[in-house]
Amino acid sequence: MQQRTALRFVASAAGTVVLLSGAGLTVQASAETASRPAATSTVLDTRAVTAWIERNAHRLGTVDPGAPLGDLEPLRRSVGNASIVGLGEPQHGLREVTALKHRTLRYLVERMGFRSIAWEDDWTLGLEIDRYIRTGEGDIDALLRRTSGAWANRDTADALDWLRDFNKGRKKSDQVRFVGVEYYTTWLPAYDIVDSHVAKAAPSLVPELRRHMKWLRPTKPDAWAHAGWYMHEVKDKKPYVEHARDLYEMVERLPHRPGDRAYSLAVHAAKQIRSFYLNYYIPRETSYAFRDARAAENLRWWRGYHHGKVVYWAATPHTAVAPGMRLVSPEQGEMAFASVGSYLRRWFGDGYRSIGFTFDHGTIAGESGTVEMPPPRQGWVERPFGQATRFDQLLMDLRVDAPAPVRQWLRSPITTRGIATETPDLPYDSYATGGTVRQWFDVVVHRQAVTPARPL
């Protein structure tokens, strides 16, 4: 949709082209290429790394989401007692990567008792997807088309349909729940939750509530139209930000008892409204840091609200444990922020596990058709996995014992694929860095060849 195209460079960050385009310290493209991290293969013995991978990796027999899960049994030890597991993808819209994430989700749900999936998309849309997987109410294709585009494919729909089928006939307390952790298209359910709770908890505050809602409550036909209007047509955003802030503070001050879930939900909804209006007001260079900080807070809120173990499904720049994440591309310059995963590791320690999904080569969906993606550049983290050619796909725990050359590789600066679809003719000019291999990932799931996800 045109609204989404117009919003993509600030708002959405969830579509294939948009994924990493939220904020930046803008630098000239030529300078980006010149400052690109040098290949480390001249220093590190990547042959030793590949040999270590071939000795210690677990072969995954298939990418079929419905296949038996025995080949994923090593995950039990790798995940251990963690209560949150991040599943990070290098690029949205890859069929085999989505299928491997789907299989991993199945294992965590069926074999390890995970009962929530936190998703890189809007919280209010997530309320409808949650209803779909718990009751079957709604049309999953229509719901996915309302995302920014990242998840509008058959392979993602299959994963959510599996969750719906898993939930059938289960007690509500044993069903898997779905929650969006983003705010960039906050829609009417958030306003309804706040409205209802204030009217019930503090009727005397309803006039003040109405004054704020007169400014804030959307009147456009859909969430994307409202976001586009606020972003592009509203010249003076300060009054909206002030009303959103005051609304949040009013809700936060409402009387409540410890453990009051209705109060907690209303405060969260008000915070989403505040985040939405702030997102398009703050300087562009800070918006990506703002976004990941809010997503981390939203996930932590859900963990406390729901209490079950959580799978976090998102792009690698969000799930990786990277407090110094840097994304570089000729089109967008440099973007620096602390990832969601870095917050989760700080708050939950070993209770958070980061699983990075990588690939070696294949085809991806570009804006004007499929695009060939060559093997990774020398020195990129995917390179030694791609050289382990006896595996079509593998699972590797990076915490196993390793010889000195491998330990050096694990401690070396990480470089990996960036915004692949942004400049497909320059596949090595977009990359992510900032941190070390071992810092970013506890486990890597690698696929050699990839193809685009099937369209809805």
Side-chain angles (χ1 to χ4, degrees), residues 248-269:
Y248 171 74
E249 292 176 355
M250 182 187 77
V251 175
E252 191 180 35
R253 291 194 301 265
L254 290 174
H256 62 281
R257 295 179 179 179
D260 186 335
R261 289 172 61 81
Y263 167 80
S264 177
L265 183 64
V267 171
H268 183 73

Side-chain angles (χ1 to χ4, degrees), residues 257-306:
R257 295 179 179 179
D260 186 335
R261 289 172 61 81
Y263 167 80
S264 177
L265 183 64
V267 171
H268 183 73
K271 184 179 287 187
Q272 293 298 101
I273 294 168
R274 184 187 66 173
S275 294
F276 171 85
Y277 283 101
L278 267 172
N279 180 68
Y280 303 104
Y281 175 72
I282 59 178
R284 185 172 181 272
E285 61 268 20
T286 67
S287 63
Y288 223 81
F290 178 81
R291 177 193 170 192
D292 269 46
R294 301 293 79 73
E297 290 174 354
N298 293 341
L299 202 158
R300 180 170 63 170
W301 168 80
W302 177 253
R303 177 73 178 83
Y305 186 80
H306 184 65

Side-chain angles (χ1 to χ4, degrees), residues 1 4 12-18 92-93 121 125 143-153 156 184 224 453 456:
M1 295 177 64
R4 303 184 190 191
S12 166
T16 16
V17 179
V18 224
H92 293 315
D121 217 292
L125 179 59
L143 289 170
L144 290 177
R145 288 190 181 100
R146 286 167 53 193
T147 68
S148 60
W151 317 115
N153 60 72
T156 302
Y184 40 76
W224 288 103
L456 290 174

Side-chain angles (χ1 to χ4, degrees), residues 421-438:
T421 53
E422 189 178 83
T423 51
D425 56 329
L426 301 170
Y428 302 131
D429 283 35
S430 296
Y431 59 89
T433 187
T436 68
V437 179
R438 180 61 189 83

Side-chain angles (χ1 to χ4, degrees), residues 84-404:
I84 306 174
V85 174
L87 306 183
E89 57 195 55
Q91 169 76 30
H92 293 315
L94 297 176
R95 183 174 186 180
E96 293 77 12
V97 169
T98 302
L100 287 167
K101 290 179 72 173
H102 183 168
R103 294 194 74 220
T104 304
L105 173 66
R106 275 190 58 210
Y107 185 90
L108 294 171
V109 170
E110 291 183 359
R111 305 283 179 90
M112 299 195 71
F114 282 71
R115 288 297 182 268
S116 284
I117 181 162
W119 203 275
E120 184 195 333
D121 217 292
D122 185 77
W123 179 65
T124 52
L125 179 59
L127 295 173
E128 296 184 62
I129 297 175
D130 180 60
R131 184 165 57 248
Y132 174 80
I133 70 168
R134 288 189 297 111
T135 69
E137 179 185 337
D139 180 339
I140 193 58
D141 290 9
L143 289 170
L144 290 177
R145 288 190 181 100
R146 286 167 53 193
T147 68
S148 60
W151 317 115
N153 60 72
R154 184 82 271 135
D155 302 283
T156 302
D158 285 351
L160 297 176
D161 280 340
W162 176 79
L163 288 172
R164 178 201 58 190
D165 293 342
F166 178 85
N167 281 338
K168 283 181 181 176
R170 290 183 177 271
K171 297 184 298 183
K172 287 185 178 180
S173 60
D174 193 39
Q175 288 185 329
V176 178
R177 300 293 304 273
F178 183 103
V179 62
V181 296
E182 306 289 354
Y183 55 76
Y184 40 76
T185 52
T186 297
W187 194 233
L188 298 177
Y191 298 86
D192 293 340
I193 289 168
V194 170
D195 203 317
S196 175
H197 186 74
V198 172
K200 182 178 180 180
S204 64
L205 294 177
V206 168
E208 181 181 350
L209 171 71
R210 295 284 178 264
R211 183 168 58 86
H212 296 314
M213 288 294 190
K214 184 177 179 180
W215 279 86
L216 301 174
R217 187 177 177 90
T219 59
K220 300 298 178 182
D222 60 55
W224 288 103
H226 176 66
W229 165 80
Y230 178 64
M231 180 181 177
H232 297 295
E233 298 182 36
V234 176
K235 302 306 179 185
D236 183 7
K237 295 179 173 61
K238 187 176 180 181
Y240 295 86
V241 170
E242 291 176 343
H243 280 282
R245 179 201 62 205
D246 292 346
L247 175 69
Y248 171 74
E249 292 176 355
M250 182 187 77
V251 175
E252 191 180 35
R253 291 194 301 265
L254 290 174
H256 62 281
R257 295 179 179 179
D260 186 335
R261 289 172 61 81
Y263 167 80
S264 177
L265 183 64
V267 171
H268 183 73
K271 184 179 287 187
Q272 293 298 101
I273 294 168
R274 184 187 66 173
S275 294
F276 171 85
Y277 283 101
L278 267 172
N279 180 68
Y280 303 104
Y281 175 72
I282 59 178
R284 185 172 181 272
E285 61 268 20
T286 67
S287 63
Y288 223 81
F290 178 81
R291 177 193 170 192
D292 269 46
R294 301 293 79 73
E297 290 174 354
N298 293 341
L299 202 158
R300 180 170 63 170
W301 168 80
W302 177 253
R303 177 73 178 83
Y305 186 80
H306 184 65
H307 302 299
K309 294 194 288 187
V310 183
V311 178
Y312 175 36
W313 185 301
T316 296
H318 305 303
T319 62
V321 181
M325 173 66 69
R326 290 175 51 235
L327 302 167
V328 179
S329 72
E331 202 170 277
Q332 294 296 307
E334 180 178 317
M335 297 155 275
F337 58 97
S339 68
V340 174
S342 68
Y343 288 96
L344 298 178
R345 179 59 55 83
R346 177 164 24 116
W347 294 335
F348 296 96
D350 286 342
Y352 177 65
R353 288 284 188 273
S354 169
I355 302 180
F357 289 72
T358 63
F359 73 93
D360 184 75
H361 65 277
T363 55
I364 63 173
E367 289 191 311
S368 57
T370 59
V371 177
E372 292 297 323
M373 192 57 49
R377 189 171 182 259
Q378 286 283 352
W380 287 15
V381 71
E382 303 96 328
R383 183 92 176 180
F385 292 96
Q387 292 174 335
T389 54
R390 66 188 185 89
F391 299 96
D392 291 327
Q393 53 270 327
L394 61 86
L395 183 152
M396 180 71 204
D397 192 319
L398 300 184
R399 299 166 301 171
V400 302
D401 290 339

